[in-house]
Amino acid sequence: NPEELNLFVVPQRVATSGDPWLSMYQHPQDPSPLLALVQADAERGLQDAPWPPVYPKMPNEPPRVAPSRAKKPAATDSD
């Protein structure tokens, strides 16, 4: 039951059952395949996901505004 698993019972549970995340630290995964996917996406022109507005604008991030709300370029005399 998720309601029974809280900050107060976890230390005792780890002491009696062991650390369920121990193997994660003993056998870390190699990030190279993920980095290769990121590089391939960048080479295909895929931009980074838009970050929430409270974060600074990141390099290669698409506009954070919906296309329907984006400012349109000013009309010129030739239009």
Side-chain angles (χ1 to χ4, degrees):
N1 181 354
E3 293 178 2
E4 295 174 3
L5 185 64
N6 58 50
L7 183 63
F8 302 105
V9 300
V10 168
Q12 178 63 31
R13 187 170 178 163
V14 169
T16 58
S17 302
D19 184 352
W21 299 281
L22 184 60
S23 66
M24 177 177 69
Y25 298 109
Q26 293 173 334
H27 308 287
Q29 293 183 351
D30 180 12
S32 298
L34 174 62
L35 296 175
L37 288 173
V38 170
Q39 182 63 33
D41 285 347
E43 289 169 0
R44 288 194 322 268
L46 185 64
Q47 295 179 322
D48 194 3
W51 293 82
V54 295
Y55 289 93
K57 187 92 166 132
M58 302 305 294
N60 200 29
E61 180 184 346
R64 293 182 180 176
V65 63
S68 61
R69 293 182 167 255
K71 291 182 180 177
K72 307 294 185 233
T76 62
D77 290 335
S78 61
D79 288 347

